Amino acid sequence: MSARTIGRIVGALFLLAYVVYLAGGALADAGSASTVVLSHVASHQLQISAGALLMLANSAAVIGIGVLLFPILKRHHEISAYGYLSAQVVQGVMLAVGIAFLLLRIPLAQEYAGAHGASVLPALARLAQEGNHYSFWIGMLSVGVGGLLLCRVLLRERLVPAFMAVYGLAGYAIFLAGALLEILGHNVGVALSIPGGLFEIAFGALLIAKGFPAAQSRDYEGLARNVPPAMTAPSNAPAS
């Protein structure tokens, strides 16, 4: 595939990842803040399971983004390419772990109904909810780190307009700070994730429209410029 085609697929995956995770989260968490969490879960098992499947599609999408961007980024900066791919894989895995915690509420709700309100089960459900929370924000730490690596290459190689890459660097730095604060117990992660989220939406839309430019990396061009004259045959050299 050409760089332009890869870019358009990546752009579509960025937007798809947002849609499926937000839709899945809305289904899986609907009503979970009520005082009788397990009672709600028991009566909405299908809805929660469908939401979890949509959220798992997000994990597949973010890992796919890392895999598709790897050859593009490696052409320009190998360490950043490996770092971004690793961050995307960690993000996808941690989000999947969080979804597993979310789904644990279903068997707990079934046991709760059969045991006529065993007191320990709501506590286990809250524990599963906390597991989902921390898994999500650990995954978001990876988003912040990977995003900084990505935007560094985008800015250095002029793969997107400079103002967008600079905004992305700022947005992901704020995103990373928000994830750290959320893990430390300060409920500011969602608000601080907005700038990075807006960058990803704009970046995805730009890639769908234009893809990546098909150009050589700066490192390769620099090597080509520094080739000694003796290594290149003059155009009027006689044939041997």
Side-chain angles (χ1 to χ4, degrees), residues 124-136:
L124 291 175
R126 286 192 293 273
L127 184 63
Q129 199 80 349
E130 287 298 306
N132 169 261
H133 173 81
Y134 284 110
S135 296
F136 175 83

Side-chain angles (χ1 to χ4, degrees), residues 11 15 17 20 24 65 68 81 103 116 122 130 173 192 233 236:
L15 299 184
V20 295
I65 289 170
L68 286 169
L103 287 172
H116 304 290
E130 287 298 306
L192 294 181
N236 59 352

Side-chain angles (χ1 to χ4, degrees), residues 42-99:
S43 59
H44 294 81
Q45 294 181 35
L46 181 60
Q47 174 183 323
I48 292 169
S49 299
L53 287 175
L54 284 174
M55 294 163 79
L56 281 174
N58 168 270
S59 291
V62 297
I63 293 174
I65 289 170
V67 171
L68 286 169
L69 279 180
F70 178 76
I72 302 293
L73 298 179
K74 187 178 179 183
R75 184 186 307 161
H76 300 289
H77 194 267
E78 187 170 353
I79 294 176
S80 295
Y82 280 107
Y84 185 73
L85 176 60
S86 299
Q88 290 296 101
V89 171
V90 170
Q91 177 194 352
V93 170
M94 292 310 301
L95 291 180
V97 169
I99 295 164

Side-chain angles (χ1 to χ4, degrees), residues 2 8 28 41 54 84 114 159 174 192 222:
S2 67
R8 286 175 171 153
V41 171
L54 284 174
Y84 185 73
L159 298 178
I174 296 170
L192 294 181

Side-chain angles (χ1 to χ4, degrees), residues 111-182:
E111 187 67 23
Y112 183 77
H116 304 290
S119 60
V120 71
L121 295 176
L124 291 175
R126 286 192 293 273
L127 184 63
Q129 199 80 349
E130 287 298 306
N132 169 261
H133 173 81
Y134 284 110
S135 296
F136 175 83
W137 286 109
I138 291 171
M140 294 304 99
L141 283 177
S142 293
V143 173
V145 173
L148 289 173
L149 293 172
L150 171 65
C151 289
R152 174 187 179 275
V153 176
L154 295 179
L155 179 62
R156 177 176 179 265
E157 301 297 331
R158 300 181 182 88
L159 298 178
V160 298
F163 75 89
M164 176 177 282
V166 171
Y167 176 81
L169 284 169
Y172 280 122
I174 296 170
F175 196 115
L176 183 59
L180 284 169
L181 289 170
E182 191 76 32

